[in-house]
Amino acid sequence: MRSLFYVGALVVSVAARAIGQQPDSVAKRDSTQKAQADSALRADSIFMERELGRIRNEPRRRDGIEQPAGATTASSTGQGPTNPTLLPNISGIGDLIFDLSPEGTTQEEGERFLVREVELGIQAAVDPYFRGDFFLGVHGDGIEIEEAYLSTLALPWQTQVRLGRFLLPFGKQNTTHRPELHTIEHSRPVQEFLGGEGAHGTGVWMSKIFAPFGFYQEFQGAVVDAFAVEDHAEGDLPGEPVVLVTDEPANRRLSGLGYSARLRNYWDLGEATNVELSGSVVTGKRAIEATCVSGGVVQCPADVTAVNARQSVAGVDLTYRWRPLQQGLYRSLIVQAEWMRQLNPQPGSGGFPRGVSVEVDGSRDSFDGAYVFARYQLTRRTYAAARFDWLEEPEQPGASLTAASAYFIFYPSEFSKMVAMYERVKPPFDKATNRVVFQTTFAVGPHRPHPF
Amino acid sequence: MKSIIAFAVALVALGAPPATAQKLKIVTSTTDLHSIAHAIGGKRISAIAISAGYQDPHHVEAKPSFVIKMRDADVFAFVGLDLEIGWAPLLIEGARNRRIAPGGTGHVDVSKTMPVLDVAQGAVDRSQGDVHPRGNPHYWLDPGNGRRIARLFTDKFSALDPAGAAEYEQNLKAFNARLDATVRELAPFLAQIKGKPVVAWHTSWRYFAEFTGMNLVGFMEPKPGVPPSPAHLAGLIQTMKRTGAKVIIMENFYNRKTADLVASKTGAKVLLLPPSVGGVKEIRDYVGLITYDVKKVAEAVQ
């Protein structure tokens, strides 16, 4: 009995210590430090009052010093809040495009000069537990909710959860808003597999950081209502989008929701160089144009033109950065590569309406895409960059589209950017075309810095 | 026998100090804050700095490896006044550490206890350059403010680690005594500097000028953070000739070509002056920074 007691005491004791030693156990630390925290706040307050009183009586050493023009000399302590009315940070980014391609504009809108997008951001802490972020994309054809999510601020174990609409955690480019890309457009594999403005979804996003092997790792996962990429199928008239009707919504079953996951791995190679190698996957069911065949006769249920077929994309991305600390204002290099594979429904893989065999239009094969991008900083405000895109042609095995582009980028400041792009695109069965596009983006208001 | 061993182990386990009795983990945004934190905390803290002394603290990459350093920190002390606005919010949010998040016990905005220069007057917008609306953040270059930082750290560390309060207070006295002695030793050099006209690249030397009495007659940057234009340089050259400024002070992370050009037109010399601890190898701590910079300027204005 005594042994049991001692062992019990030992277990309780060791468990208590173990919990106390967990670096993540913020709650435990808070409970032991609450009194200290209150004391700290009081001490800060008293100290500040004392300092302010002393500083008010302190003479300034300004005798005989000529002040340069433009240098205001107001002195202050006890700085108040910058937003005493608790207004959120409101920002706007304008994205202007000038398409001077020799064979006519290459913009979807058919315009040579266009305001491609105005991105409005509204960001603020909601309360001590959450922050809210809204990003609205204003286009020529309306307003789109690009992102609108609530983020937790106080979850333990270095986790964070978002609820709402967000860019899916997939690859390096997809989580960057288009106006803030290094280039004017997403790479062609991203456009083809994830959409022209990246893949979004509405649902739940979570992330956890950890470092069990001594380097930074982050897992990001999301469950969203649907993983949907615009279908490129055309209706009877050229350019007319096809109306896809399925026999049931894709999200009727849990297996029809969209799921996305990404594992980031980051290493410092030195004080000036680092590398990130990450893997991502996204899967979901989406409507794919299909023909229902029964006994050799086309026989679709009423109005059904599509089936919910699983489509997945898997990818790997690698980013190498070099930026010497002392000359970091003037020199830097980024080399980035991403490979991704779209996994399409295979014959007999299931997921089709019961009792009907379906011939899915388009490819059922998996096909690949990749890009390599590099940007070198020439001066404090200028960069040269290049990108090579490669995308397999799904209809023709062995055939692929390639595009090579070069960029000259000028940053008048960190809030405005001017980009000149030349691109040569070689479709698989067509002659090469040349594109010349200029972009200007500018930001007003306090826009949060972008993730590394 | 087994019972005795089990009981002894249990007692040892129960009696051992909890994890919170370990060293305070301090992360600072700059090496200057790190140096002062180390002087105050001594062996009771472990401290690391995010930026290097030879790096522009405005432009630090928010690398994920910093997130790992900050996720377990008890204190994140930063200069404030928006100096780190381009990267610290990312690290704080990425670390997901409530202690160092805004409102947390370890979220220490050092600027809150500073007498701040250059607080913007009237309407402020970005046409004025990389302006800091709440004031110039380079306050650590005045030793008086170094003392304030030390006082703040003493109070903060004592609050979080009351058992070490006496030691922190003792370290504060030692730090202030060493700084006072250094300033006294620098008196002849300060006398050489006082009133001498100089030009600086950035507004970062305003507090240093307040301390030394050197006369800042102009800046290479027409507006904070904006590279100089030819028209601005032409005006600056005239100003330097008029005032007799013979020294251009600039941080060692800026490209000196433009400064060399102006120097060649005015007969001035370009002085690369590290603004932070570790800016050059010889500067190993905060007192060393003040000593090095004062002596270098005194030598240059001769």
Side-chain angles (χ1 to χ4, degrees):
Chain A
M1 185 60 195
R2 276 189 305 175
S3 299
L4 280 176
F5 170 76
Y6 295 141
V7 170
L10 175 65
V11 169
V12 170
S13 160
V14 170
R17 286 199 67 208
I19 292 169
Q21 285 174 336
Q22 284 178 6
D24 301 342
S25 60
V26 175
K28 293 292 182 291
R29 294 185 74 101
D30 283 354
S31 66
T32 59
Q33 293 182 344
K34 186 174 184 306
Q36 297 172 6
D38 293 339
S39 169
L41 289 173
R42 279 197 300 275
D44 279 354
S45 172
I46 294 166
F47 172 65
M48 284 184 66
E49 284 297 318
R50 194 170 62 217
E51 281 293 287
L52 286 175
R54 196 168 65 78
I55 289 158
R56 283 191 202 102
N57 299 323
E58 191 175 72
R60 305 296 301 171
R61 289 186 305 270
R62 301 184 43 72
D63 303 337
I65 295 177
E66 182 182 344
Q67 295 301 314
T72 57
T73 57
S75 174
S76 167
T77 57
Q79 309 132 43
T82 54
N83 59 339
T85 54
L86 301 180
L87 285 172
N89 288 338
I90 300 173
S91 63
I93 298 179
D95 182 1
L96 315 180
I97 296 292
F98 310 93
D99 193 325
L100 301 180
S101 300
E103 295 165 48
T105 180
T106 56
Q107 303 302 309
E108 279 184 20
E109 296 81 357
E111 299 171 2
R112 279 196 182 271
F113 299 88
L114 73 149
V115 179
R116 186 167 62 169
E117 182 181 354
V118 173
E119 181 185 291
L120 298 176
I122 305 171
Q123 302 172 288
V126 176
D127 54 33
Y129 315 106
F130 301 104
R131 62 169 291 114
D133 295 80
F134 302 94
F135 294 98
L136 306 177
V138 183
H139 309 267
D141 52 355
I143 298 177
E144 179 192 3
I145 300 175
E146 291 191 350
E147 292 192 281
Y149 54 80
L150 188 71
S151 303
T152 61
L153 296 175
L155 288 185
W157 304 302
Q158 277 101 46
T159 55
Q160 188 177 59
V161 172
R162 288 178 184 167
L163 302 174
R165 181 171 170 78
F166 41 78
L167 286 160
L168 293 182
F170 184 97
K172 199 66 186 166
Q173 275 195 350
N174 190 66
T175 49
T176 304
H177 293 176
R178 189 171 59 180
E180 292 133 28
L181 291 170
H182 295 308
T183 53
I184 295 175
E185 296 158 346
H186 280 296
S187 67
R188 287 166 195 279
V190 170
Q191 290 185 50
E192 179 67 25
F193 297 154
L194 303 172
E197 293 187 57
H200 299 74
T202 304
V204 183
W205 175 101
M206 72 81 60
S207 151
K208 174 169 174 54
I209 58 173
F210 45 95
F213 306 111
F215 60 87
Y216 175 93
Q217 290 186 287
E218 180 182 5
F219 172 79
Q220 300 172 336
V223 182
V224 295
D225 188 64
F227 166 50
V229 179
E230 294 168 24
D231 198 290
H232 299 300
E234 290 184 350
D236 295 334
L237 298 173
E240 178 195 16
V242 71
V243 177
L244 300 176
V245 179
T246 58
D247 66 334
E248 67 175 31
N251 63 1
R252 182 174 172 185
R253 304 162 201 274
L254 287 178
S255 63
L257 299 178
Y259 298 89
S260 178
R262 172 169 167 78
L263 179 64
R264 297 178 66 195
N265 304 282
Y266 171 91
W267 297 268
D268 277 326
L269 302 179
E271 75 169 20
T273 56
N274 53 72
V275 66
E276 180 180 337
L277 176 64
S278 303
S280 310
V281 64
V282 59
T283 185
K285 287 190 176 178
R286 56 178 290 240
I288 294 179
E289 190 177 15
T291 305
C292 315
V293 179
S294 181
V297 178
V298 174
Q299 191 178 12
C300 287
D303 298 329
V304 170
T305 59
V307 294
N308 292 315
R310 178 161 301 283
Q311 191 174 65
S312 306
V313 182
V316 176
D317 59 272
L318 177 70
T319 303
Y320 169 84
R321 294 183 188 84
W322 169 76
R323 188 181 180 193
L325 297 191
Q326 190 158 357
Q327 286 297 301
L329 286 175
Y330 307 94
R331 291 284 179 269
S332 65
L333 172 71
I334 296 176
V335 179
Q336 193 172 84
E338 234 177 304
W339 166 86
M340 54 189 78
R341 162 169 284 198
Q342 187 180 72
L343 304 155
N344 286 307
Q346 299 295 314
S349 63
F352 303 121
R354 290 179 298 279
V356 181
S357 66
V358 178
E359 292 180 356
V360 177
D361 292 357
S363 173
R364 290 185 175 195
D365 295 331
S366 300
F367 61 108
D368 300 330
Y371 73 86
V372 180
F373 167 78
R375 189 191 74 166
Y376 181 72
Q377 187 173 2
L378 302 169
T379 67
R380 183 167 178 173
R381 299 193 286 182
T382 59
Y383 298 78
R387 194 178 74 196
F388 180 77
D389 296 353
W390 169 78
L391 183 65
E392 269 190 334
E393 170 56 52
E395 307 288 347
Q396 298 291 330
S400 59
L401 174 148
T402 57
S405 49
Y407 304 83
F408 180 76
I409 305 163
F410 173 58
Y411 283 88
S413 73
E414 59 187 301
F415 307 106
S416 59
K417 178 179 71 169
M418 297 174 184
V419 185
M421 177 189 84
Y422 165 75
E423 184 179 44
R424 185 169 177 81
V425 186
K426 176 68 180 72
F429 306 109
D430 207 347
K431 64 172 186 171
T433 58
N434 298 308
R435 300 178 67 208
V436 178
V437 182
F438 297 90
Q439 178 198 37
T440 297
T441 64
F442 55 97
V444 296
H447 200 79
R448 279 169 61 79
H450 297 289
F452 183 74
Chain B
M1 185 61 189
K2 287 181 182 174
S3 300
I4 293 172
I5 293 173
F7 183 63
V9 172
L11 279 181
V12 169
L14 285 168
T20 51
Q22 293 172 351
K23 286 183 175 183
L24 282 178
K25 295 174 184 169
I26 314 297
V27 177
T28 65
S29 63
T30 66
T31 52
D32 313 291
L33 297 182
H34 170 269
S35 173
I36 298 174
H38 199 267
I40 300 303
K43 293 178 179 176
R44 297 189 72 88
I45 67 164
S46 63
I48 55 170
I50 297 293
S51 62
Y54 45 84
Q55 181 180 20
D56 184 351
H58 299 84
H59 300 280
V60 175
E61 291 185 302
K63 295 192 283 193
S65 47
F66 296 146
V67 168
I68 294 298
K69 291 174 179 172
M70 289 176 65
R71 67 175 183 162
D72 298 327
D74 295 301
V75 170
F76 176 55
F78 56 100
V79 172
L81 300 173
D82 296 340
L83 180 76
E84 304 98 338
I85 196 170
W87 51 276
L90 287 174
L91 295 180
I92 292 171
E93 188 175 328
R96 299 161 194 180
N97 175 350
R98 284 192 295 180
R99 295 186 293 276
I100 63 167
T105 55
H107 184 87
V108 180
D109 180 348
V110 178
S111 72
K112 295 288 187 188
T113 58
M114 291 297 145
V116 178
L117 297 176
D118 301 344
V119 178
Q121 304 293 302
V124 180
D125 63 35
R126 289 186 185 143
S127 67
Q128 297 164 25
D130 188 12
V131 64
H132 294 268
R134 292 185 294 143
N136 189 320
H138 304 274
Y139 52 76
W140 67 87
L141 286 164
D142 183 337
N145 292 335
R147 291 188 194 93
R148 292 186 178 92
I149 298 169
R151 178 76 250 176
L152 174 64
F153 285 167
T154 303
D155 291 349
K156 175 56 70 177
F157 297 168
S158 299
L160 295 177
D161 175 24
E167 190 174 333
Y168 298 135
E169 201 67 42
Q170 194 176 355
N171 291 343
L172 174 67
K173 284 178 184 167
F175 174 81
N176 283 339
R178 186 173 167 227
L179 193 56
D180 291 344
T182 300
V183 172
R184 280 196 298 273
E185 288 169 13
L186 291 174
F189 299 97
L190 292 170
Q192 292 171 22
I193 296 171
K194 187 173 175 61
K196 292 288 193 327
V198 300
V199 164
W201 182 280
H202 184 62
T203 56
S204 42
W205 299 100
R206 288 275 290 114
Y207 293 89
F208 188 75
E210 289 279 305
F211 165 58
T212 60
M214 72 182 184
N215 186 2
L216 278 174
V217 298
F219 296 104
M220 290 288 290
E221 292 178 336
K223 295 173 181 176
V226 176
S229 63
H232 173 73
L233 293 180
L236 184 65
I237 289 170
Q238 293 306 314
T239 301
M240 291 177 70
K241 288 179 177 173
R242 179 173 55 80
T243 59
K246 293 295 179 190
V247 177
I248 300 172
I249 295 175
M250 62 186 297
E251 289 86 341
N252 51 354
F253 45 74
Y254 289 124
N255 190 325
R256 62 178 292 167
K257 282 182 185 173
T258 311
D260 283 337
L261 174 69
V262 173
S264 70
K265 302 286 185 189
T266 57
K269 65 178 78 167
V270 176
L271 175 61
L272 294 180
L273 204 58
S276 288
V277 173
V280 294
K281 284 181 182 174
E282 301 95 294
I283 303 177
R284 294 191 177 88
D285 61 18
Y286 179 76
V287 176
L289 170 72
I290 299 298
T291 305
Y292 182 94
D293 283 356
V294 168
K295 288 184 176 177
K296 284 291 180 187
V297 174
E299 184 183 322
V301 298
Q302 284 301 304

